[in-house]
Amino acid sequence: MTDSAAMRELLGEEARETQALIDSLTSNIDDLSSAREGDNSDDEHDPEGSTLAFERSQADAVLIQSRDRLTQIAEALERLDDGTFGTCTSCGQAIPAVRLEVRPYTPMCVACAS
Ligand SMILES: [Zn+2]
């Protein structure tokens, strides 16, 4: 049996952390963008330029992941509301409590997620 109040708390915490990460990534990406704009040299022949491009693509990847996570958290909160939280959205089996403690936003059991 899952304690939904505690789970709601956990999800809220996770959402705040994820949002903070998104905010800091967004400002990093802005910094990287303006660093590149201030640099008139050709990226392909400039090691500095390609490092910035690499950092930017890394930050973009984490940003996309974090936005996905926020969506998963919102969906998990909806499942808490409609009483389906803790049930795998794929196979309908209960998701083990230990898994929910680590990833409260996960929609699927280990078998279905892998
Ligand atoms: Zn499953």
Side-chain angles (χ1 to χ4, degrees), residues 51-93:
T51 304
L52 285 171
F54 177 74
E55 280 180 30
R56 163 109 211 234
S57 71
Q58 292 288 97
D60 277 341
V62 180
L63 191 59
I64 289 165
Q65 245 174 33
S66 303
R67 286 188 177 138
D68 280 353
R69 175 160 310 179
L70 268 191
T71 306
Q72 286 191 322
I73 292 169
E75 286 169 358
L77 285 166
E78 280 174 24
R79 290 197 300 277
L80 267 176
D81 287 337
D82 67 20
T84 59
F85 182 84
T87 302
C88 176
T89 56
S90 178
C91 70
Q93 299 289 308

